[in-house]
């Protein structure tokens, strides 16, 4: 009986997380986003899919990755590709060309991985999605095309998951900027670094927001439709002590375990980056620069973590709060206050610290 109640409790909690509850103020975010996808990029994304792309997507997967609801591991498809390859390629390319997703392809098993040594709350468990291999092939083919164009679409403030960039680039920048902050002892205003953590960042992404921001960036409607088919046809069951919960049909969220998810998440985060950049251009949030010749930087992104850098002035703090409230209501993201913190330079007045 306890097992049944536990499964029901966990399923209800995730049903609530995956229930769309925001999606307002999207226009305020989209107004700051610039169109960056050119016609040539869209033409390259629209090139007919090939058998070679399907095989390459499969070949790049780990042989012993945990299987999805069909219990078929990647190594089976690789070992018997000469027998099943033609059929798999045919069906995957049909879906990529616009056919409906076959039944069962997007049935997902969620396993809960402890994030702490002794988890006692649901938030201490990380949900990992186990996708069926044929679905992952489809998703990975799209991801392989998308990641090639990301350097032209994603702003330089975001270094994770973008080809040609390393997350350590932003780590080094953050180190230099916080070193400057700790050494700043003069000036009218102090400076502050605010580290923001998003609670269940992937799970809360609003599908409508993702769709709109891809269109605003300039992706063609045909490409956006292919991506949203992968995102929105999903259903989940959660594995609890070796047994499965009831099926959950979400209204939002990206899966940790889907090849597309990291790239789609940073496309959403581009909305926040655009708002922060506009605020700097308008002088509402003044970023930090380590010397007179250096550019001002008011934000750095590390996947689902953010570092905001600005004057320790109430006006900047008010504008940041306004931006975060708009972004949360539009995208579905929620700041995890328990994992967020603020650092001030030594010259920051105590009253400014309190007000910020």
């Amino acid at each position: 009986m306890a097992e049944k109640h536990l499964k029901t409790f966990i399923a209800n909690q995730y049903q609530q997380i995956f229930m769309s509850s925001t999606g307002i103020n999207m226009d305020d975010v989209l107004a700051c986003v610039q169109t960056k996808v050119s016609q040539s990029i869209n033409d390259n994304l629209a090139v007919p899919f090939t058998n070679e792309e399907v095989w390459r997507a499969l070949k790049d997967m780990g042989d012993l990755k945990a299987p999805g609801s069909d219990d078929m591991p990647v190594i089976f498809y690789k070992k018997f590709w000469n027998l099943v390859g033609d059929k798999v390629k045919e069906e995957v390319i049909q879906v990529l060309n616009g056919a409906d997703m076959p039944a069962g392809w997007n049935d997902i098993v969620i396993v809960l991985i402890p994030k702490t040594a002794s988890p006692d709350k649901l938030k201490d468990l990380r949900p990992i999605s186990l996708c069926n291999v044929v679905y992952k092939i489809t998703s990975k083919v799209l991801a392989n095309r998308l990641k090639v164009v990301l350097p032209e679409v994603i702003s330089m403030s975001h270094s994770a998951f973008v080809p040609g960039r390393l997350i350590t680039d932003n780590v080094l920048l953050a180190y230099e900027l916080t070193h400057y902050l700790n050494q700043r002892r003069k000036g009218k205003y102090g400076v502050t670094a605010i580290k923001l953590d998003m609670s269940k960042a992937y799970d809360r992404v609003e599908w409508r927001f993702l769709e709109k921001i891809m269109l605003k960036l300039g992706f063609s409607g045909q490409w956006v439709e292919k991506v949203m088919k992968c995102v929105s046809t999903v259903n989940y069951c959660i594995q609890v002590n070796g047994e499965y919960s009831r099926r959950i049909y979400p209204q939002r969220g990206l899966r940790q375990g889907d090849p597309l998810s990291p790239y789609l998440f940073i496309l959403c985060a581009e909305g926040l980056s655009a708002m922060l950049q506009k605020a700097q251009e308008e002088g509402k949030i003044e970023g930090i620069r380590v010397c007179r010749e250096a550019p001002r930087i008011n934000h750095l992104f590390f996947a689902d973590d953010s570092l905001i850098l600005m004057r320790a002035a109430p006006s900047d703090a008010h504008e940041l709060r306004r931006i975060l409230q708009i972004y949360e209501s539009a995208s579905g993201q929620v700041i995890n206050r328990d994992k967020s913190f603020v650092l001030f330079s030594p010259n920051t007045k105590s009253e400014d610290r309190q007000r910020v």
Side-chain angles (χ1 to χ4, degrees):
M1 184 65 69
E3 289 277 332
K4 182 178 179 181
H5 286 317
L6 180 60
K7 285 192 296 184
T8 302
F9 170 76
I10 292 176
N12 288 342
Q13 291 296 305
Y14 274 98
Q15 180 73 68
Q16 188 173 356
I17 291 172
F18 294 141
M19 187 73 67
S20 178
S21 59
T22 55
I24 59 175
N25 293 328
M26 289 187 187
D27 290 342
D28 292 335
V29 178
L30 296 173
C32 302
V33 177
Q34 297 180 349
T35 299
K36 298 182 179 180
V37 180
S38 64
Q39 185 59 48
S40 63
I41 290 177
N42 277 323
D43 290 342
N44 290 333
L45 292 175
V47 169
F49 295 94
T50 65
N51 291 340
E52 176 59 29
E53 286 181 283
V54 176
W55 166 243
R56 187 167 66 248
L58 176 67
K59 189 170 61 173
D60 290 343
M61 295 181 194
D63 290 350
L64 301 178
K65 288 283 188 180
S69 59
D70 62 359
D71 291 325
M72 301 292 285
V74 172
I75 195 170
F76 167 82
Y77 289 89
K78 291 183 178 179
K79 189 75 173 177
F80 298 104
W81 192 245
N82 61 322
L83 298 177
V84 302
D86 289 343
K87 186 62 175 176
V88 171
K89 288 184 286 190
E90 177 187 343
E91 294 200 5
V92 167
I93 288 177
Q94 283 180 356
V95 171
L96 290 169
N97 286 335
D100 291 338
M101 189 81 69
W105 274 31
N106 220 347
D107 294 352
I108 305 300
V109 175
I110 292 180
V111 295
L112 303 174
I113 307 298
K115 294 192 284 186
T116 63
S118 301
D120 59 1
K121 297 179 181 178
L122 195 57
K123 68 178 182 179
D124 297 330
L125 300 170
R126 186 186 308 281
I128 301 296
S129 300
L130 305 183
C131 308
N132 294 327
V133 174
V134 285
Y135 167 78
K136 286 183 74 172
I137 294 172
T138 307
S139 177
K140 196 168 182 64
V141 169
L142 292 174
N144 286 342
R145 287 200 177 187
L146 178 59
K147 68 182 182 182
V148 172
V149 308
L150 285 182
E152 300 179 54
V153 177
I154 301 299
S155 61
M156 292 302 296
S157 62
H158 213 139
S159 60
F161 304 118
V162 180
R165 304 181 196 174
L166 298 173
I167 197 168
T168 49
D169 296 342
N170 277 3
V171 172
L172 291 171
L173 274 173
Y175 176 83
E176 291 296 332
L177 290 164
T178 53
H179 175 74
Y180 165 79
L181 180 150
N182 286 323
Q183 299 301 314
R184 184 182 171 95
R185 301 182 184 277
K186 296 180 180 180
K188 181 179 179 181
Y189 284 111
V191 293
T192 181
I194 305 172
K195 184 261 187 185
L196 299 176
D197 179 88
M198 297 297 180
S199 176
K200 295 192 177 297
Y202 279 35
D203 299 335
R204 297 183 187 274
V205 170
E206 290 287 334
W207 291 344
R208 184 63 178 154
F209 178 73
L210 170 62
E211 182 179 14
K212 283 195 169 187
I213 205 163
M214 284 195 292
L215 290 170
K216 182 61 188 292
L217 285 167
F219 288 102
S220 69
Q222 185 182 30
W223 173 260
V224 173
E225 185 180 350
K226 294 180 194 296
V227 170
M228 294 309 300
K229 184 194 302 180
C230 290
V231 171
S232 62
T233 57
V234 63
N235 66 82
Y236 301 103
C237 66
I238 302 171
Q239 190 177 66
V240 182
N241 295 332
E243 297 184 1
Y244 295 134
S245 72
R246 60 178 171 81
R247 283 278 161 194
I248 298 171
Y249 295 89
Q251 298 175 356
R252 67 176 180 182
L254 302 173
R255 288 157 285 182
Q256 298 197 43
D258 186 330
L260 265 174
S261 292
Y263 307 117
L264 299 183
F265 184 82
I266 62 175
L267 288 175
C268 290
E270 192 64 15
L272 176 58
S273 178
M275 294 180 75
L276 291 168
Q277 187 61 41
K278 183 178 179 182
Q280 177 158 290
E281 292 169 358
E282 295 176 348
K284 295 179 179 178
I285 296 181
E286 186 175 290
I288 295 176
R289 60 181 179 186
V290 296
C291 64
R292 190 167 296 178
E293 294 77 19
R296 288 196 180 276
I297 297 175
N298 76 353
H299 67 284
L300 297 170
F301 288 167
F302 308 82
D304 56 347
D305 290 324
S306 312
L307 185 66
I308 312 297
L309 304 134
M310 64 183 194
R311 291 179 302 185
S315 58
D316 290 46
H318 278 298
E319 180 64 14
L320 177 60
R321 184 173 65 177
R322 184 189 72 85
I323 288 173
L324 292 176
Q325 287 174 340
I326 291 173
Y327 181 69
E328 284 182 326
S329 64
S331 68
Q333 299 295 293
V334 175
I335 294 171
N336 184 344
R337 296 180 180 271
D338 294 337
K339 294 183 179 180
S340 302
F341 61 85
V342 182
L343 177 67
F344 292 99
S345 62
N347 70 319
T348 307
K349 299 175 184 177
S350 58
E351 59 266 31
D352 286 340
R353 295 181 186 224
Q354 187 62 35
R355 293 174 71 186
V356 168

